[in-house]
Amino acid sequence: MAVFLLAPTMVATQIALGPSILNRTAGFTFQAAVAAEQDSSGFQTITSEQLSQMLPRKDFFFVNVHIPYEGQIEGTDAFIPYDKIARNLDKLPADKNAKIVLYCRSGRMSEIAAEQLSKLGYLHVSHLSGGMIAWQASGHALVEQ
């Protein structure tokens, strides 16, 4: 369990909710801070809110890894099946320092692909927590190819 010192008498407890983590203390949510925190696997998890703030100043390679195709988020650069990501490195930036953001329908496939890329030496990999489902639930649209 992660513990964050907030003040001498306040400690945040960590509650695991499936693949996402939510930290709370005295009604204050630390979800954004935790989601942006780098995972021990070497990649980051971002929220729909964070992605919506990143897209207007897009400085990353954006990849839909979901199979089968079920729509996409505007600005997507490539479609690479999550289970074939290691065989499609030629479709990714050659620079392993490049920022790469992955997403899928629910977040699970992108998490698997993010872990794989991190193991292959990519240093700035993120994946969208909750995937396209969370993206739509937060009021954003999907587009069809």
Side-chain angles (χ1 to χ4, degrees):
M1 175 168 75
V3 176
F4 299 90
L5 287 177
L6 301 173
T9 60
M10 297 174 64
V11 177
T13 46
Q14 185 176 66
I15 305 165
L17 299 173
S20 64
I21 297 172
L22 182 64
N23 284 294
R24 294 178 184 259
T25 183
F28 187 83
T29 302
F30 291 93
Q31 185 175 13
V34 171
E37 184 177 304
Q38 188 154 7
D39 181 288
S40 62
S41 300
F43 61 89
Q44 293 183 338
T45 301
I46 61 170
T47 65
S48 293
E49 181 181 330
Q50 290 169 313
L51 179 60
S52 70
Q53 293 171 3
M54 294 165 58
L55 282 169
R57 63 181 198 289
K58 190 170 173 279
D59 64 346
F60 56 91
F61 193 75
F62 198 30
V63 185
N64 182 349
V65 297
H66 188 75
I67 52 174
Y69 179 85
E70 291 190 36
Q72 66 190 52
I73 297 172
E74 191 170 341
T76 299
D77 295 305
F79 301 94
I80 305 171
Y82 82 100
D83 59 347
K84 294 181 175 52
I85 197 103
R87 289 184 260 165
N88 286 281
L89 299 180
D90 59 323
K91 294 181 181 177
L92 296 173
D95 181 2
K96 291 190 175 184
N97 283 309
K99 294 178 189 174
I100 300 173
V101 177
L102 308 173
Y103 72 93
C104 63
R105 183 175 172 273
S106 68
R108 183 64 184 137
M109 290 178 187
S110 59
E111 183 178 22
I112 292 167
E115 185 173 7
Q116 180 81 39
L117 289 180
S118 293
K119 287 180 180 177
L120 291 169
Y122 286 85
L123 301 175
H124 301 285
V125 178
S126 300
H127 91 100
L128 178 60
S129 177
M132 291 183 277
I133 293 171
W135 180 254
Q136 286 185 296
S138 65
H140 302 287
L142 294 180
V143 295
E144 291 291 324
Q145 184 179 23

